[in-house]
Amino acid sequence: MSGAHETPVFTGLPGAVAVSHLCVYDWPAPDGVSGGTPHLHLTCSEAYVVTGGRGAVQTLTTSGYEVTPLEPGTVAWFTPGTIHRLVNEDDLRITVLMQNNGLPEAGDAVLTLPPAYLTDPETYAAATVIPADAPEAEQERVARSRRDLALEGYRALRAADGPEPLAAFHRAAAALVRPRLAAWRERWRRGAEAAAAATGEQLDRLERGDVSHLADALVRAEQPSAHGKFGMCGRLDVYKGTD
């Protein structure tokens, strides 16, 4: 909020998206395919801007299973509820655009673990959390282990006869994240809601001939706050201040 003109100013990336740079894992999985960990997001859309290499994204929704090829120049995106698995065929590199200030990398993701691991947040965390203070080799071991465990559940969902197994996974995922919804709502209010409200206020002012918000223009830039972080789909370069 500007003290001079009391005009809402949102200083995050446009539309309260967030950005990360992703080098997709080249680790072979038990099915012989190299790539990341299948998972879904419950409240966020996500987009892939392919910057190098070649691969694909496998997706599973209530409409069925699809494979979308990925090559430099491709922009692919999907909405909440889309189970997705990145496949690395040749040094696949992606810039990821994420809704809600990067919430997909800050909690809004549930891996497709077998049902026994989805019973409660503690059981799920024990199978998925990568210890931040562990040596890199141990972090990689955990990342690979949880990827392979998620593939077990993913293959079962793909092979399921009828819609109930996928619906059951949706219910289990929603139950797992329910304790964090209040924090997610606050993140949304600070981000996407605030960005939309600022635009609405600016449109109202322009209709009145008030251009005062233009005097509050600013420029921001930053470098990644972390490089090579173990993510769900690959090694990540992430930014801290995009919200």
Side-chain angles (χ1 to χ4, degrees):
M1 185 74 71
S2 166
H5 305 292
E6 296 185 353
T7 306
V9 176
F10 179 77
T11 60
L13 284 173
V17 302
V19 174
S20 64
H21 301 299
L22 173 65
C23 294
V24 180
Y25 292 133
D26 59 2
W27 307 328
D31 62 358
V33 176
S34 298
T37 308
H39 62 280
L40 61 66
H41 305 294
L42 290 96
T43 65
C44 296
S45 293
E46 199 169 57
Y48 295 152
V49 181
V50 183
T51 58
R54 184 171 54 86
V57 58
Q58 300 176 352
T59 55
L60 181 64
T61 68
T62 56
S63 298
Y65 171 73
E66 295 184 49
V67 178
T68 302
L70 300 176
E71 60 184 21
T74 299
V75 178
W77 64 95
F78 41 85
T79 58
T82 302
I83 295 173
H84 48 290
R85 177 198 187 188
L86 274 171
V87 173
N88 186 355
E89 297 172 357
D90 181 19
D91 191 26
L92 182 59
R93 286 167 283 123
I94 293 171
T95 294
V96 184
L97 307 179
M98 297 165 286
Q99 194 178 8
N100 294 320
N101 311 63
L103 184 56
E105 290 175 2
D108 181 19
V110 175
L111 311 187
T112 56
L113 304 185
Y117 296 89
L118 304 174
T119 55
D120 59 83
E122 293 74 21
T123 301
Y124 178 82
T128 58
V129 172
I130 298 176
D133 57 351
E136 181 169 318
E138 174 62 11
Q139 292 185 5
E140 177 176 330
R141 186 197 66 78
V142 174
R144 294 184 71 149
S145 176
R146 72 176 186 179
R147 190 275 307 269
D148 293 346
L149 187 60
L151 283 171
E152 290 184 27
Y154 172 69
R155 288 194 298 269
L157 291 172
R158 278 187 55 186
D161 183 16
E164 176 52 28
L166 183 56
F169 174 69
H170 289 168
R171 292 192 296 270
L176 284 174
V177 304
R178 190 168 294 121
R180 291 175 278 168
L181 293 182
W184 292 8
R185 185 177 295 276
E186 180 57 29
R187 190 184 188 100
W188 165 71
R189 285 175 174 155
R190 295 195 317 266
E193 185 182 50
T199 299
E201 175 66 15
Q202 291 159 4
L203 289 169
D204 291 343
R205 287 174 177 267
L206 288 173
E207 285 184 342
R208 300 194 300 267
D210 179 357
V211 298
S212 58
H213 68 281
L214 301 180
D216 296 325
L218 54 82
V219 177
R220 294 180 63 187
E222 64 180 70
Q223 294 294 317
S225 59
H227 294 271
K229 180 180 177 182
F230 286 98
M232 290 173 288
C233 297
R235 301 295 294 264
L236 292 166
D237 294 345
V238 298
Y239 295 82
K240 183 177 180 180
T242 54
D243 60 350

